[in-house]
Amino acid sequence: MSPLQGCRKQGITLGIVTLCLAAACTLNTQGGVQFYVPQSSINTTVTQNILLSVECICKGSPIIEWKHMLSWGTTKIVEWKSGSYTNISKSYKDRVNTYENGSIQLLNVGVKDAGYYFVTVTEESGRTGYGTIVLNVYEIIYEDLHFVAVFFAFLTAVSAVLICFMWLCNKSIHLFQKKRHKLRETTTEEIELQITEC
């Protein structure tokens, strides 16, 4: 199987999972859990803090669980019950903040944090609501910025050298013209003196 076919297969799998979760979300909101994801796709760059925001309306204190899905598997991020307990996985320790409405904040995201995020809200009665957020994380290409900065500094230095060179040329021309003018005056005076002596 070629790498392209593998990517297609993974993309199809992720698409099917997303559709199933979206269908389950609409079915479950007819019960007791009302669920709303204001931003289903988020684009960011590395080292940013990102809020994966959801609005959840349900009875009692629900159990909220967030998972991160990648092509090679699913990782549990956090599970908590409001006012009762909070379990954060080791790989997300000190990188996650939880909120009463079911939202989480990821701190200092990296490229490895890109992917699908699934949230499950389970009421005490057993009714469940689902939500999905896609996070795209892009690297800042410092090499390009470095190249632009170096090129700009080089152009500045070259222009400064050219300005100094033009200033020196201008001064040299003025000095040459002054000397030439003085030389003409002295030769004119000498000729006049010779004429008067004759």
Side-chain angles (χ1 to χ4, degrees):
M1 182 169 66
S2 71
L4 186 59
Q5 288 173 334
C7 290
R8 283 184 188 155
K9 191 173 182 181
Q10 291 171 354
I12 291 170
T13 304
L14 290 175
I16 290 170
V17 169
T18 305
L19 286 173
C20 290
L21 285 173
C25 181
T26 46
L27 290 173
N28 284 322
T29 54
Q30 294 169 359
V33 179
Q34 293 182 6
F35 210 82
Y36 173 65
V37 179
Q39 195 173 2
S40 61
S41 180
I42 299 172
N43 296 321
T44 188
T45 54
V46 292
T47 72
Q48 297 295 312
N49 298 336
I50 298 303
L51 180 66
L52 301 176
S53 178
V54 295
E55 287 295 330
C56 174
I57 300 168
C58 54
K59 295 175 185 174
S61 294
I63 296 171
I64 301 167
E65 182 182 47
W66 279 88
K67 290 182 179 178
H68 181 207
M69 183 178 173
L70 292 163
S71 55
W72 59 83
T74 303
T75 305
K76 186 175 179 179
I77 300 171
V78 63
E79 178 183 284
W80 78 93
K81 185 173 183 179
S82 182
S84 180
Y85 69 91
T86 303
N87 291 330
I88 300 174
S89 70
K90 286 182 181 179
S91 56
Y92 286 91
K93 212 63 161 168
D94 301 324
R95 289 191 57 225
V96 174
N97 294 326
T98 60
Y99 298 95
E100 292 296 315
N101 67 351
S103 302
I104 62 170
Q105 183 182 34
L106 291 176
L107 305 175
N108 195 25
V109 295
V111 175
K112 63 181 170 40
D113 292 314
Y116 288 82
Y117 287 82
F118 301 111
V119 58
T120 308
V121 178
T122 308
E123 277 187 338
E124 292 170 350
S125 64
R127 291 182 178 150
T128 307
Y130 303 96
T132 309
I133 297 175
V134 180
L135 179 64
N136 300 305
V137 182
Y138 301 101
E139 289 188 66
I140 300 171
I141 303 173
Y142 291 105
E143 292 83 21
D144 288 349
L145 295 176
H146 179 73
F147 173 76
V148 169
V150 168
F151 185 69
F152 182 74
F154 174 75
L155 286 179
T156 305
V158 167
S159 60
V161 167
L162 286 175
I163 288 170
C164 289
F165 181 71
M166 289 175 68
W167 181 79
L168 285 172
C169 287
N170 191 25
K171 282 288 184 188
S172 301
I173 288 170
H174 280 294
L175 286 172
F176 179 73
Q177 286 176 343
K178 273 186 179 180
K179 284 184 178 179
R180 192 170 175 192
H181 185 67
K182 280 185 180 179
L183 186 65
R184 273 188 192 161
E185 284 180 358
T186 54
T187 49
T188 310
E189 285 177 8
E190 285 177 5
I191 291 171
E192 286 177 358
L193 282 173
Q194 284 176 359
I195 291 170
T196 52
E197 285 177 358
C198 290

